[in-house]
Amino acid sequence: MRFYTDRVTSRTGGAVDISYLFTAGIFVQIALLFYVLGLLVRNELLLRGLLLIGTMFYILYYFFVSDVPLWDAIFASAMIGLANVIMILVILREKSTLGMSDDMLVLYGTFTTLNPGQFRKIMRHADWITTPEDLSICTRGVRSDYLYLVSKGQVILRDDGRNVAVGSGNFIGEISFLLDCPATADVIALQGTELVRWDRRKLMSLMHKSVRLSNAIGALFNADIARKLSVSWPKDQAHRE
C-alpha cells in the first residue's frame, strides 16, 4: 500500500522532505518510542500498557510495509499482544475487589497489608467453621496444626489463670505460626463463633512460593501481635478464675 508523500518549504526557502512521515517506517519509530517508555517505568501495569501500544504499531508496520502484508510477523506480534492483554487483566483483578461477596469484603478489611489478589489466593486455602459448642482451638505448650481468624463471635484466651475475651478481626495462633513453636496460651472458641481456619503447612507453602506474599503476611501478623501487646491482659477485662 502506498502512502501520501509531499515536500514543504522552510522559511529559508529550502525544501524539507517529510515523506518519511507518510510511510510505514513511521510506525516502527512510534512503536520504538512506546517500548522505550515502557521499559523506563517501574509500574507493571503502565509498562504492559505501553508495550501493548507499541505492539499495535508494529502490527500496523507489518501490514503496510509492503504490497502484501507480512502475515507471519502480524500473527507473532498479535500473540505477544494477546499475552500482554491477559496479564493486564490478571493485574487489574489482583488490584480490584470486584466479585467479592459482602462477607469477603468485610473480612478483607482485616488484611490491611495484602492486595485483593493475595487475599483471594490465601482464601482459596481457608475453611470457614462455626463452633457448635465451646471448643478448644489452641492448647498451651502444644503446636497447633491450624491458624485461625475470628470472623464473628468471641474466643477466650487463658494464661496463668487469667481470661481475656478476644473478638472478631483477631488472629489466633500467629505467634506459634511465625516462630514455629507451641501455643503460648489456651484458647477456647465460644459456642456459635465463626472462624476462618488455615492449615499451617499449606499457608507456609504459599509463603515460600512468593516473597511478596510472605512479606505481606509477616507484616500483617506483626501488626496484629503489636496491637494485642498494647492492650495485653487489661485489668478491667482479666480476672482470676
Side-chain angles (χ1 to χ4, degrees), residues 140-156:
R140 183 176 182 178
V142 177
R143 182 182 286 102
S144 175
D145 292 329
Y146 298 98
L147 172 74
Y148 297 89
L149 172 66
V150 183
S151 177
K152 293 181 182 179
Q154 285 188 332
V155 300
I156 303 298

mmCIF file of all heavy atoms in Angstrom, residues 140-156:
data_model
loop_
_atom_site.group_PDB
_atom_site.id
_atom_site.type_symbol
_atom_site.label_atom_id
_atom_site.label_comp_id
_atom_site.label_asym_id
_atom_site.label_seq_id
_atom_site.Cartn_x
_atom_site.Cartn_y
_atom_site.Cartn_z
ATOM 1 N N ARG A 140 -2.003 -24.549 75.333
ATOM 2 C CA ARG A 140 -0.680 -24.037 75.687
ATOM 3 C C ARG A 140 0.342 -25.171 75.727
ATOM 4 O O ARG A 140 0.107 -26.227 76.308
ATOM 5 C CB ARG A 140 -0.738 -23.343 77.042
ATOM 6 C CG ARG A 140 0.584 -22.715 77.460
ATOM 7 C CD ARG A 140 0.441 -21.959 78.758
ATOM 8 N NE ARG A 140 1.691 -21.315 79.137
ATOM 9 C CZ ARG A 140 1.845 -20.550 80.215
ATOM 10 N NH1 ARG A 140 0.806 -20.327 81.017
ATOM 11 N NH2 ARG A 140 3.015 -20.008 80.485
ATOM 12 N N GLY A 141 1.489 -24.930 75.085
ATOM 13 C CA GLY A 141 2.554 -25.920 75.056
ATOM 14 C C GLY A 141 2.434 -26.933 73.936
ATOM 15 O O GLY A 141 3.312 -27.779 73.769
ATOM 16 N N VAL A 142 1.350 -26.845 73.149
ATOM 17 C CA VAL A 142 1.137 -27.782 72.043
ATOM 18 C C VAL A 142 1.124 -26.997 70.728
ATOM 19 O O VAL A 142 0.442 -25.976 70.614
ATOM 20 C CB VAL A 142 -0.196 -28.549 72.208
ATOM 21 C CG1 VAL A 142 -0.430 -29.471 71.012
ATOM 22 C CG2 VAL A 142 -0.188 -29.347 73.507
ATOM 23 N N ARG A 143 1.874 -27.475 69.746
ATOM 24 C CA ARG A 143 1.914 -26.808 68.449
ATOM 25 C C ARG A 143 0.628 -27.118 67.684
ATOM 26 O O ARG A 143 0.309 -28.275 67.424
ATOM 27 C CB ARG A 143 3.131 -27.262 67.644
ATOM 28 C CG ARG A 143 3.259 -26.553 66.293
ATOM 29 C CD ARG A 143 4.443 -27.057 65.494
ATOM 30 N NE ARG A 143 5.712 -26.564 66.025
ATOM 31 C CZ ARG A 143 6.543 -27.267 66.775
ATOM 32 N NH1 ARG A 143 6.231 -28.520 67.093
ATOM 33 N NH2 ARG A 143 7.671 -26.753 67.210
ATOM 34 N N SER A 144 -0.099 -26.080 67.314
ATOM 35 C CA SER A 144 -1.361 -26.260 66.595
ATOM 36 C C SER A 144 -1.102 -26.493 65.111
ATOM 37 O O SER A 144 -0.141 -25.967 64.541
ATOM 38 C CB SER A 144 -2.249 -25.025 66.772
ATOM 39 O OG SER A 144 -3.420 -25.138 65.991
ATOM 40 N N ASP A 145 -1.967 -27.275 64.503
ATOM 41 C CA ASP A 145 -1.857 -27.521 63.064
ATOM 42 C C ASP A 145 -2.536 -26.432 62.244
ATOM 43 O O ASP A 145 -2.447 -26.438 61.015
ATOM 44 C CB ASP A 145 -2.493 -28.866 62.703
ATOM 45 C CG ASP A 145 -1.705 -30.044 63.260
ATOM 46 O OD1 ASP A 145 -0.471 -29.911 63.388
ATOM 47 O OD2 ASP A 145 -2.327 -31.078 63.569
ATOM 48 N N TYR A 146 -3.210 -25.492 62.936
ATOM 49 C CA TYR A 146 -4.008 -24.502 62.221
ATOM 50 C C TYR A 146 -3.740 -23.088 62.724
ATOM 51 O O TYR A 146 -3.318 -22.875 63.863
ATOM 52 C CB TYR A 146 -5.506 -24.804 62.372
ATOM 53 C CG TYR A 146 -5.919 -26.134 61.802
ATOM 54 C CD1 TYR A 146 -6.065 -27.248 62.629
ATOM 55 C CD2 TYR A 146 -6.152 -26.280 60.440
ATOM 56 C CE1 TYR A 146 -6.444 -28.475 62.112
ATOM 57 C CE2 TYR A 146 -6.530 -27.505 59.912
ATOM 58 C CZ TYR A 146 -6.674 -28.597 60.749
ATOM 59 O OH TYR A 146 -7.039 -29.812 60.230
ATOM 60 N N LEU A 147 -4.009 -22.155 61.832
ATOM 61 C CA LEU A 147 -4.034 -20.734 62.162
ATOM 62 C C LEU A 147 -5.478 -20.279 62.026
ATOM 63 O O LEU A 147 -6.165 -20.667 61.080
ATOM 64 C CB LEU A 147 -3.141 -19.950 61.204
ATOM 65 C CG LEU A 147 -3.201 -18.424 61.301
ATOM 66 C CD1 LEU A 147 -2.474 -17.943 62.549
ATOM 67 C CD2 LEU A 147 -2.590 -17.780 60.058
ATOM 68 N N TYR A 148 -5.942 -19.452 62.970
ATOM 69 C CA TYR A 148 -7.347 -19.048 62.982
ATOM 70 C C TYR A 148 -7.486 -17.530 62.893
ATOM 71 O O TYR A 148 -6.616 -16.778 63.332
ATOM 72 C CB TYR A 148 -8.035 -19.509 64.275
ATOM 73 C CG TYR A 148 -8.088 -21.000 64.471
ATOM 74 C CD1 TYR A 148 -7.044 -21.666 65.117
ATOM 75 C CD2 TYR A 148 -9.172 -21.748 64.024
ATOM 76 C CE1 TYR A 148 -7.088 -23.043 65.315
ATOM 77 C CE2 TYR A 148 -9.224 -23.126 64.219
ATOM 78 C CZ TYR A 148 -8.179 -23.763 64.864
ATOM 79 O OH TYR A 148 -8.223 -25.127 65.054
ATOM 80 N N LEU A 149 -8.628 -17.113 62.345
ATOM 81 C CA LEU A 149 -9.052 -15.717 62.388
ATOM 82 C C LEU A 149 -10.487 -15.698 62.885
ATOM 83 O O LEU A 149 -11.344 -16.427 62.365
ATOM 84 C CB LEU A 149 -8.976 -15.066 61.006
ATOM 85 C CG LEU A 149 -9.577 -13.660 60.893
ATOM 86 C CD1 LEU A 149 -8.778 -12.665 61.722
ATOM 87 C CD2 LEU A 149 -9.641 -13.204 59.438
ATOM 88 N N VAL A 150 -10.752 -14.891 63.905
ATOM 89 C CA VAL A 150 -12.110 -14.777 64.428
ATOM 90 C C VAL A 150 -12.914 -13.887 63.485
ATOM 91 O O VAL A 150 -12.611 -12.703 63.327
ATOM 92 C CB VAL A 150 -12.113 -14.185 65.851
ATOM 93 C CG1 VAL A 150 -13.546 -14.138 66.396
ATOM 94 C CG2 VAL A 150 -11.219 -14.998 66.777
ATOM 95 N N SER A 151 -13.921 -14.468 62.843
ATOM 96 C CA SER A 151 -14.764 -13.712 61.922
ATOM 97 C C SER A 151 -15.947 -13.079 62.647
ATOM 98 O O SER A 151 -16.245 -11.896 62.475
ATOM 99 C CB SER A 151 -15.272 -14.626 60.802
ATOM 100 O OG SER A 151 -16.154 -13.934 59.940
ATOM 101 N N LYS A 152 -16.625 -13.875 63.464
ATOM 102 C CA LYS A 152 -17.741 -13.381 64.278
ATOM 103 C C LYS A 152 -17.716 -14.114 65.612
ATOM 104 O O LYS A 152 -17.302 -15.266 65.684
ATOM 105 C CB LYS A 152 -19.084 -13.621 63.579
ATOM 106 C CG LYS A 152 -19.291 -12.818 62.306
ATOM 107 C CD LYS A 152 -20.650 -13.112 61.694
ATOM 108 C CE LYS A 152 -20.839 -12.344 60.389
ATOM 109 N NZ LYS A 152 -22.157 -12.648 59.756
ATOM 110 N N GLY A 153 -18.195 -13.443 66.660
ATOM 111 C CA GLY A 153 -18.224 -14.067 67.971
ATOM 112 C C GLY A 153 -16.981 -13.746 68.785
ATOM 113 O O GLY A 153 -16.283 -12.759 68.525
ATOM 114 N N GLN A 154 -16.697 -14.613 69.767
ATOM 115 C CA GLN A 154 -15.576 -14.373 70.671
ATOM 116 C C GLN A 154 -14.845 -15.666 70.993
ATOM 117 O O GLN A 154 -15.418 -16.755 70.955
ATOM 118 C CB GLN A 154 -16.062 -13.749 71.990
ATOM 119 C CG GLN A 154 -16.448 -12.290 71.908
ATOM 120 C CD GLN A 154 -16.734 -11.716 73.282
ATOM 121 O OE1 GLN A 154 -17.143 -12.431 74.200
ATOM 122 N NE2 GLN A 154 -16.506 -10.420 73.441
ATOM 123 N N VAL A 155 -13.568 -15.503 71.315
ATOM 124 C CA VAL A 155 -12.781 -16.595 71.875
ATOM 125 C C VAL A 155 -12.203 -16.109 73.200
ATOM 126 O O VAL A 155 -12.056 -14.901 73.427
ATOM 127 C CB VAL A 155 -11.647 -17.047 70.924
ATOM 128 C CG1 VAL A 155 -12.212 -17.519 69.594
ATOM 129 C CG2 VAL A 155 -10.638 -15.931 70.713
ATOM 130 N N ILE A 156 -11.899 -17.061 74.075
ATOM 131 C CA ILE A 156 -11.336 -16.741 75.386
ATOM 132 C C ILE A 156 -9.893 -17.216 75.443
ATOM 133 O O ILE A 156 -9.606 -18.396 75.191
ATOM 134 C CB ILE A 156 -12.143 -17.400 76.521
ATOM 135 C CG1 ILE A 156 -13.611 -16.963 76.458
ATOM 136 C CG2 ILE A 156 -11.542 -17.043 77.879
ATOM 137 C CD1 ILE A 156 -13.832 -15.482 76.639
#
